[in-house]
């Protein structure tokens, strides 16, 4: 089932550029940052296999962003990704609608799509069963060998999906899961007003990278959600360009947006507010609950997908999109983020790997998050709330 492409004209629930600049300049003058509630997350919640299984089941039952729409811009374009242990692929049909299917031929279950590509039809490499771009079965070699086969009922198995302002969003992967009201959860990802202008400004997918990291998925989420570490972790990369421990933090439903201002934002003091823009003056990080980050940069937007595999292994897939003027000058064989951004990413991952090791020492009963790390608390509080609701429904 495919639900219509969503593109709401409603006003964003987040602050506009002028308000963000006002808040940032006020923090610079006062030496402050946005504050919220502190949070203490039990270490046991990162290490307990029962807790992980509960989280994994919840994530499979919840809607999430699968891939950027930029990955399949034209009819026939297709791309695969394993989401929460389920192999899937997205494909753009001749009618230009994006559809998502379970990545298995209906004959013997062979993976129909491998990597990314473009085709007029989807052909299984094993025995040649062929499917149209809408998933219907169009050809079976030696069909007389299957006298009871009803081709009209053996199309690819579709997953509920929506195209939401530059994202392909999927519904529950556990159909009929009794513990999660999937329609309610989908609402938080069904209106792209919050991220539309940023993501749609970078419509060209120019690079994709997928890596398995030796850490819990929540540790990876946490590394994106605070600027308290900028000076100490990124002393030679981000800190010369950005402020340490200065962020604007906003939430919209279970999701968050964290603003990381650049030092050049102070140049706006001399200009009329009517001309203020945050373009090339901040990085926005949108956390789309539960496991996706959108990060904006002057020429690029990154979609970072965090897929838990087990307690301390997580696959991280990064889709790099470019603005049209930047895409023309990029080498398609080279990661365009493979400079300052890559170095900063290595630094963040080094810190997260250290946290993962520290979780196993037994030194701490909980992980401490201060008032300047409130977006992390929002993430954990939201996750705990959904888990509690699931448990209550089972009781």
């Amino acid at each position: 089932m495919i639900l219509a492409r969503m593109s709401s004209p409603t006003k964003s629930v987040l602050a506009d550029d002028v308000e963000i600049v006002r808040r940032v300049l006020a923090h610079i003058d006062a030496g402050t940052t946005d504050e919220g509630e502190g949070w203490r997350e039990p270490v046991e919640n990162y290490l307990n296999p029962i807790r992980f299984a509960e989280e994994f089941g919840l994530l499979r039952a919840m809607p999430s962003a699968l891939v950027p729409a930029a990955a399949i811009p034209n009819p026939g374009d297709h791309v695969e990704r394993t989401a929460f242990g389920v192999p899937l692929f997205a494909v753009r049909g001749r009618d230009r609608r994006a559809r998502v299917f379970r990545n298995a031929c209906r004959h013997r279950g062979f993976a129909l799509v491998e990597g990314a590509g473009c085709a007029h039809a989807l052909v299984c490499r094993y025995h040649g069963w062929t499917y149209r771009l809408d998933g219907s079965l169009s050809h079976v070699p030696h069909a007389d060998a299957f006298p009871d086969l009803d081709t009209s009922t053996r199309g690819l198995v579709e997953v509920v999906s929506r195209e939401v302002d530059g994202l392909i969003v999927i519904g529950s992967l556990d159909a009929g899961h009794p513990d999660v009201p999937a329609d309610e959860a989908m609402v938080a990802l069904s209106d792209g007003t919050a991220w539309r202008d940023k993501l749609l400004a970078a419509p060209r997918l120019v690079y994709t990278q997928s890596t398995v990291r030796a850490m819990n998925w929540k540790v990876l989420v946490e590394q994106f959600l605070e600027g308290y570490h900028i000076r100490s972790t990124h002393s030679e990369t981000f800190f010369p360009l950005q402020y340490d421990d200065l962020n604007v933090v906003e939430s919209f439903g279970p999701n968050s947006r964290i603003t990381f201002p650049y030092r050049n934002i102070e140049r706006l003091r001399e200009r009329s507010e009517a001309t203020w823009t945050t373009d090339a003056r901040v990085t926005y990080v949108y956390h789309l609950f539960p496991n996706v980050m959108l990060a904006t940069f002057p020429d690029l937007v990154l979609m970072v997908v965090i897929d838990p595999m087990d307690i301390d292994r997580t696959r991280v897939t990064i889709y790099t999109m470019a603005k049209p003027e930047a895409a023309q000058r990029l080498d398609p064989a080279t990661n365009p983020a493979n400079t300052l951004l890559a170095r900063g990413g290595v630094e963040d991952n080094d810190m997260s790997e250290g946290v993962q090791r520290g979780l196993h020492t037994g030194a701490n009963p909980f992980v401490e998050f201060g008032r300047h790390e409130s977006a992390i608390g929002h993430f954990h509080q939201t996750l705990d709330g959904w888990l509690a609701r699931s448990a209550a429904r089972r009781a």
Side-chain angles (χ1 to χ4, degrees):
M1 176 183 180
I2 292 192
L3 302 177
R5 183 181 187 276
M6 306 294 290
S7 184
S8 169
T10 57
K11 185 178 185 297
S12 175
V13 296
L14 302 178
D16 62 17
D17 281 11
V18 171
E19 180 60 23
I20 289 293
V21 174
R22 286 178 184 152
R23 290 171 66 173
V24 168
L25 295 180
H27 280 317
I28 293 171
D29 292 341
T32 56
T33 187
D34 275 13
E35 293 189 347
E37 297 298 321
W39 184 268
R40 289 179 171 177
E41 182 68 9
V43 168
E44 178 74 3
N45 286 352
Y46 299 89
L47 304 179
N48 188 319
I50 296 175
R51 165 76 180 213
F52 176 83
E54 292 172 348
E55 292 174 354
F56 197 71
L58 175 70
L59 298 186
R60 286 172 61 103
M62 293 192 68
S64 64
L66 181 70
V67 294
I72 52 169
N74 302 308
D77 287 344
H78 51 269
V79 63
E80 56 88 17
R81 198 195 112 213
T82 297
F84 311 124
V86 181
L88 304 172
F89 73 89
V91 59
R92 178 93 44 200
R94 297 183 189 279
D95 56 2
R96 304 202 67 85
R97 294 176 66 180
R99 295 171 173 85
V100 177
F101 298 99
R102 295 177 185 263
N103 194 6
C105 177
R106 298 303 305 280
H107 173 217
R108 298 269 290 277
F110 188 82
L112 196 63
V113 170
E114 299 170 276
C118 185
H120 295 296
L122 302 167
V123 183
C124 180
R125 289 197 300 112
Y126 198 177
H127 296 92
W129 283 37
T130 302
Y131 303 84
R132 301 179 184 89
L133 298 181
D134 65 3
S136 59
L137 180 60
S138 64
H139 174 65
V140 175
H142 303 290
D144 58 324
F146 302 91
D148 298 324
L149 178 66
D150 181 357
T151 58
S152 68
T153 65
R154 294 297 288 278
L156 299 173
V157 178
E158 192 168 356
V159 173
V160 170
S161 66
R162 299 181 180 185
E163 186 168 354
V164 184
D165 292 308
L167 296 176
I168 308 300
V169 175
I170 58 171
S172 171
L173 294 173
D174 286 342
H177 192 292
D179 300 334
V180 176
D183 290 343
E184 177 185 337
M186 179 66 94
V187 169
L189 294 174
S190 292
D191 179 4
T193 307
W195 65 81
R196 176 193 306 138
D197 293 345
K198 311 306 180 194
L199 186 55
L200 295 185
R204 290 277 304 277
L205 178 67
V206 292
Y207 198 80
T208 303
Q209 184 177 40
S210 186
T211 308
V212 175
R213 299 287 179 192
M215 61 192 84
N216 184 275
W217 74 281
K218 291 175 293 185
V219 173
L220 276 160
V221 170
E222 291 162 0
Q223 78 177 23
F224 288 91
L225 300 184
E226 48 87 7
Y228 178 47
H229 69 287
I230 298 294
R231 182 195 300 268
S232 55
T233 298
H234 303 298
S235 61
E236 297 181 3
T237 51
F238 297 154
F239 180 59
L241 304 174
Q242 295 179 288
Y243 297 90
D244 179 56
D245 198 24
L246 195 168
N247 301 106
V248 174
V249 179
E250 304 165 276
S251 61
F252 51 112
N255 311 311
S256 296
R257 183 176 78 171
I258 301 88
T259 303
F260 296 80
Y262 305 162
R263 296 181 186 274
N264 67 6
I265 200 168
E266 295 207 54
R267 297 175 189 169
L268 297 180
R269 294 181 188 273
E270 303 171 0
R271 304 180 186 178
S272 165
E273 282 194 6
T275 67
W276 282 2
T277 174
T278 58
D279 289 349
R281 301 193 188 278
V282 309
T283 282
Y284 289 115
V285 173
Y286 297 80
H287 175 210
L288 305 184
F289 187 85
N291 69 318
V292 170
M293 306 291 169
L294 301 177
T296 71
F297 299 94
D299 292 325
L300 306 172
V301 176
L302 306 186
M303 176 178 173
V304 183
V305 183
I306 297 168
D307 264 316
M309 299 171 69
D310 52 40
I311 290 176
D312 49 17
R313 280 195 316 143
T314 303
R315 179 172 293 278
V316 180
T317 304
I318 302 176
Y319 301 92
T320 302
M321 280 79 70
K323 295 180 179 178
E325 59 274 19
Q328 294 177 1
R329 63 176 184 268
L330 293 173
D331 179 354
T334 303
N335 183 353
N338 193 21
T339 51
L340 183 71
L341 291 183
R343 289 164 56 201
V346 168
E347 292 165 346
D348 279 329
N349 287 322
D350 284 347
M351 297 302 108
S352 294
E353 288 169 4
V355 168
Q356 185 69 30
R357 291 192 296 271
L359 294 174
H360 289 277
T361 65
N364 299 308
F366 53 81
V367 180
E368 185 87 60
F369 300 105
R371 291 175 56 84
H372 298 183
E373 303 166 283
S374 60
I376 298 176
H378 179 67
F379 161 59
H380 284 294
Q381 185 177 41
T382 301
L383 181 60
D384 284 356
W386 279 101
L387 289 170
R389 291 174 67 179
S390 293
R393 285 172 173 265
R394 290 194 301 269

